[in-house]
Amino acid sequence: MLKETLFSSKVLTIITHLLLIVVGVTMIVPFLWMFSTSLKDVTELYEYPPKWIPSHLNWQNYIKAMELAPFGRFYLNSLLVTFCITLGQMITACLAAYVFARIEFPGRDILFVIYLSTMIIPVQVTIIPLFLIVKQLGWFDTYQGLIIPFIARAFPIIFLRQFFMTLPKDLEDAAKVDGCGHLRFLWKILLPTARPALSTIGLFTFLFHWRDYLWPLVITNTTEMRTLPVGLRYFVSEQGTQFHYMMAASIIVTIPIVLIYLFAQKQFIKGVTMTGLKG
Amino acid sequence: MIGVMNGKKSAKFHIFKNKNIRRNFWDSMLFLSPSLVVFTVFIFIPIAMAFYLSLMKWDLLTADRQFVGLKNYIYYLTNPFFYKVLLNTVYFAAAHIPLDLIITLGLALLLNQKLKGLSFYRTIYFIPVISSMVAVSAVWIWIYEPESGGLANYVLGLFGISPLGWLHDPHWAMPAIILVSVWKGLGYNIVIFLAGLQNIPDIYYEAARIDGANAWQQFRRVTLPLLSPITYFVILMGIINSFKVFTQIEVMTPEGGPLNSTTVLNLYLYQEAFHKYRFGRASALAFIMFAIILIITKIQRSVSHKNVHYE
């Protein structure tokens, strides 16, 4: 009897693993196919049955893809834009979160609700006027246009406020007695303790804007200003059926972020469970 | 005498406090000003402007601008094509959310059995989540290639199923995109569900076991109710994100697919605004979309009040 249950639980475990492996393979196969295709010769593309290992490794597909579109430039654009947005959001969020968590003044709570309400407004609702305003400011097809509208968002403010509120009030009173102003208190005492919270929300802000698609698609015009996702999108539509180049470009775009993820996994998973809200 | 002294003291204290309040107020304003300026210029003013635009005929190309009242709203609400687009969006949501929910909850339950290799599986499942949607869409365009060379049709062939047109077939374009979307997002919800499952204290299961509950009863009576806040969150985000779906559709079917079978609200809005430059009309569409999302959120909230159990 005992033997039987042990046996059946072992069978169950094996079935579970089999199922999980099948799903895992499904997750990975498209990436392997991407890589395999990126090394194929054009003549091998349409072979039937599909060939997983090309007879000859065409590394020059990557060179060709880099020639067809300036992926280095796209990378620089994406890095610059995403870095500035993240930095901006961290600064504006620290300042605002500090106020909402630790300073009392009349009207604060109403203001906080107004801040909160910006979260329920989808970008789509405001994108047309946003486009007109940014154009009016002379920022169409510029870095300012890509960065400045996003240097403050409610989500990091709320996240950091939550964190600042957990710190004991005594800390502040002690600092006050020593004649420490708000800015110095924030800079010298709160920020060092908030480092883990900042890195979590910073990573998420970075990832969120790294993949931003709609706004850069709308606000950029020239190839030089395109960010990585938009640059790849035009590459896809321009190269049409040149799948070997398309896949080489996709690998160029995918590999660095996957590598970063593999090295900093714990941070990513922690971030998802801590922030939860970001899709 | 004592009374006078006391009065003086409290008045002094009062002034001090006022000064403090004033200082707090101005410091706060200083700290809030960067975010307040950004929100005002890039969120609040645009909302007001969007509403104003939605009441105007405002074509960027013809520079034709005039007040038309609710005409733009009426245009969409009486337009069969708008309902086709709405239906496409609902189709996406109605297929994507249950499919995603069942698969991710199932996998999270499997992974939650204190299994060896949990972090390995989680790592693998999360790779599509972090990779670029455009790159992923590109490889799926290639996988869905209906001519020879397409991996999807090859796999179907192994099971003796005849090849499909996928993104070129009005019946299959949407399912093809839904499949990619589910595949791309699985890992995210698995992580969310896993965190929820790990938060359920073991004592509940022990108590259930002592009462003689079998695995199914434990799932039905312990896991599901205690997981319901997470499930609610996942469904709500699923609906909101479904109504905002854009990137994979715009990349895989830039024109909205064969016979507009994949034109969803957001793509329609983008085409109206940035292909046809009908800013007035498109603003009305944006508000209609916003209203739909708000209504769904409201309905969901009232439904959840009845069905979500908090510990």
Side-chain angles (χ1 to χ4, degrees):
Chain A
M1 178 69 185
L2 187 68
K3 231 179 181 174
E4 227 165 70
T5 44
L6 265 180
F7 176 73
S8 73
S9 85
K10 211 166 213 169
V11 169
L12 260 175
T13 315
I14 291 170
I15 292 174
T16 307
H17 275 291
L18 272 179
L19 245 160
L20 291 171
I21 288 167
V22 167
V23 176
V25 168
T26 322
M27 294 290 126
I28 292 304
V29 156
F31 293 103
L32 294 178
W33 188 232
M34 193 192 269
F35 186 57
S36 154
T37 308
S38 76
L39 293 172
K40 278 183 184 169
D41 189 77
V42 66
T43 53
E44 275 182 317
L45 277 184
Y46 298 99
E47 249 173 52
Y48 193 92
K51 211 179 198 171
W52 282 91
I53 299 164
S55 52
H56 171 72
L57 301 182
N58 277 298
W59 291 101
Q60 62 268 32
N61 285 349
Y62 285 84
I63 297 162
K64 185 75 187 168
M66 298 284 275
E67 276 171 17
L68 287 167
F71 281 96
R73 175 79 194 223
F74 298 158
Y75 256 107
L76 282 179
N77 287 346
S78 271
L79 273 174
L80 180 77
V81 168
T82 318
F83 178 77
C84 290
I85 288 177
T86 308
L87 188 70
Q89 281 195 28
M90 293 306 105
I91 294 169
T92 54
C94 279
L95 292 170
Y98 177 73
V99 170
F100 288 127
R102 306 194 77 96
I103 308 182
E104 271 174 44
F105 66 88
R108 184 187 75 169
D109 295 340
I110 297 169
L111 209 55
F112 186 62
V113 171
I114 294 174
Y115 269 51
L116 266 178
S117 71
T118 62
M119 295 233 305
I120 55 160
I121 294 149
V123 200
Q124 293 78 16
V125 177
T126 53
I127 197 156
I128 294 165
L130 199 60
F131 174 80
L132 291 172
I133 289 170
V134 168
K135 219 174 164 193
Q136 199 63 42
L137 288 166
W139 293 348
F140 180 71
D141 206 32
T142 65
Y143 290 120
Q144 298 96 292
L146 284 165
I147 295 165
I148 293 175
F150 300 99
I151 55 169
R153 276 297 172 273
F155 187 68
I157 295 175
I158 293 156
F159 186 84
L160 283 177
R161 169 182 173 265
Q162 214 67 14
F163 182 80
F164 286 163
M165 279 176 16
T166 60
L167 300 171
K169 186 87 181 154
D170 307 355
L171 207 66
E172 201 168 331
D173 295 336
K176 282 268 169 59
V177 170
D178 292 344
C180 182
H182 285 306
L183 198 59
R184 255 191 55 204
F185 178 67
L186 172 63
W187 184 251
K188 291 265 180 202
I189 297 173
L190 277 195
L191 277 192
T193 52
R195 206 167 285 159
L198 263 177
S199 69
T200 301
I201 191 68
L203 178 71
F204 260 71
T205 310
F206 192 90
L207 278 182
F208 189 77
H209 288 279
W210 179 260
R211 61 182 53 193
D212 206 3
Y213 180 69
L214 183 59
W215 181 247
L217 184 67
V218 166
I219 205 64
T220 61
N221 191 22
T222 54
T223 311
E224 288 72 42
M225 286 310 298
R226 281 173 194 156
T227 56
L228 211 46
V230 178
L232 182 61
R233 180 243 182 253
Y234 279 101
F235 189 86
V236 168
S237 69
E238 279 154 20
Q239 297 310 315
T241 52
Q242 306 273 63
F243 287 111
H244 47 318
Y245 298 149
M246 221 159 100
M247 293 304 104
S250 300
I251 286 284
I252 292 171
V253 171
T254 307
I255 288 296
I257 198 102
V258 170
L259 285 181
I260 293 172
Y261 160 70
L262 290 178
F263 282 111
Q265 271 195 66
K266 285 233 169 68
Q267 201 70 20
F268 276 75
I269 303 289
K270 205 179 90 199
V272 170
T273 44
M274 266 174 83
T275 51
L277 278 162
K278 282 248 152 135
Chain B
M1 190 63 176
I2 291 169
V4 173
M5 283 270 289
N6 262 351
K8 243 184 175 171
K9 207 175 168 189
S10 71
K12 217 174 163 187
F13 183 69
H14 194 67
I15 290 167
F16 169 69
K17 224 182 161 187
N18 257 345
K19 217 171 122 195
N20 214 5
I21 287 175
R22 216 175 308 145
R23 211 191 85 183
N24 276 349
F25 181 76
W26 287 116
D27 272 4
S28 303
M29 282 302 125
L30 192 69
F31 282 21
L32 288 179
S33 54
S35 46
L36 213 49
V37 168
V38 172
F39 285 171
T40 308
V41 178
F42 300 112
I43 295 182
F44 300 135
I45 292 177
I47 291 174
M49 250 176 96
F51 183 65
Y52 169 73
L53 282 172
S54 77
L55 304 175
M56 302 281 289
K57 186 174 162 69
W58 184 302
D59 290 0
L60 202 68
L61 294 179
T62 55
D64 181 11
R65 270 152 227 195
Q66 65 188 81
F67 183 80
V68 293
L70 293 174
K71 248 190 187 155
N72 289 328
Y73 290 90
I74 294 165
Y75 169 80
Y76 286 113
L77 296 175
T78 56
N79 185 344
F81 190 69
F82 167 76
Y83 290 99
K84 183 182 168 58
V85 170
L86 186 62
L87 205 67
N88 284 341
T89 315
V90 172
Y91 178 13
F92 181 89
H96 179 266
I97 296 164
L99 203 61
D100 184 66
L101 206 63
I102 291 166
I103 298 175
T104 53
L105 184 55
L107 288 172
L109 285 169
L110 287 182
L111 285 171
N112 195 38
Q113 306 170 33
K114 295 171 182 77
L115 212 62
K116 261 187 214 147
L118 162 72
S119 63
F120 171 74
Y121 289 121
R122 200 174 51 187
T123 304
I124 302 282
Y125 297 172
F126 212 70
I127 289 177
V129 178
I130 48 114
S131 40
S132 148
M133 183 56 106
V134 181
V136 155
S137 300
V139 74
W140 280 93
I141 293 175
W142 170 221
I143 289 172
Y144 285 140
E145 173 67 34
E147 303 298 317
S148 71
L151 201 57
N153 277 343
Y154 169 72
V155 173
L156 287 188
L158 294 181
F159 294 97
I161 303 167
S162 50
L164 295 172
W166 296 109
L167 298 168
H168 302 275
D169 180 329
H171 295 293
W172 285 100
M174 190 56 115
I177 286 174
I178 291 167
L179 209 65
V180 176
S181 309
V182 171
W183 172 83
K184 174 90 165 57
L186 273 188
Y188 185 83
N189 284 345
I190 288 176
V191 169
I192 300 271
F193 272 131
L194 258 178
L197 287 171
Q198 282 161 359
N199 272 339
I200 300 176
D202 276 337
I203 41 165
Y204 288 108
Y205 291 108
E206 278 160 28
R209 244 172 274 141
I210 288 166
D211 289 345
N214 61 27
W216 167 251
Q217 284 165 330
Q218 283 176 38
F219 172 71
R220 183 72 196 77
R221 301 277 169 211
V222 180
T223 312
L224 269 192
L226 288 176
L227 207 59
S228 57
I230 305 265
T231 316
Y232 165 71
F233 169 75
V234 167
I235 294 175
L236 183 64
M237 290 320 281
I239 295 176
I240 293 176
N241 288 334
S242 291
F243 272 82
K244 294 202 274 193
V245 61
F246 182 72
T247 310
Q248 61 268 52
I249 292 190
E250 207 275 336
V251 177
M252 296 172 82
T253 54
E255 305 300 326
L259 301 177
N260 294 306
S261 52
T262 62
T263 310
V264 288
L265 276 172
N266 214 351
L267 185 69
Y268 187 37
L269 174 67
Y270 172 72
Q271 289 172 340
E272 291 274 278
F274 297 105
H275 287 173
K276 296 177 186 157
Y277 294 105
R278 290 181 184 142
F279 281 3
R281 212 194 242 175
S283 296
L285 185 59
F287 266 96
I288 294 172
M289 222 173 112
F290 187 33
I292 293 171
I293 293 177
L294 279 187
I295 291 167
I296 291 171
T297 317
K298 259 259 135 44
I299 293 173
Q300 243 255 324
R301 188 159 299 162
S302 65
V303 170
S304 81
H305 269 308
K306 284 183 212 137
N307 298 317
V308 172
H309 304 264
Y310 293 94
E311 255 186 272

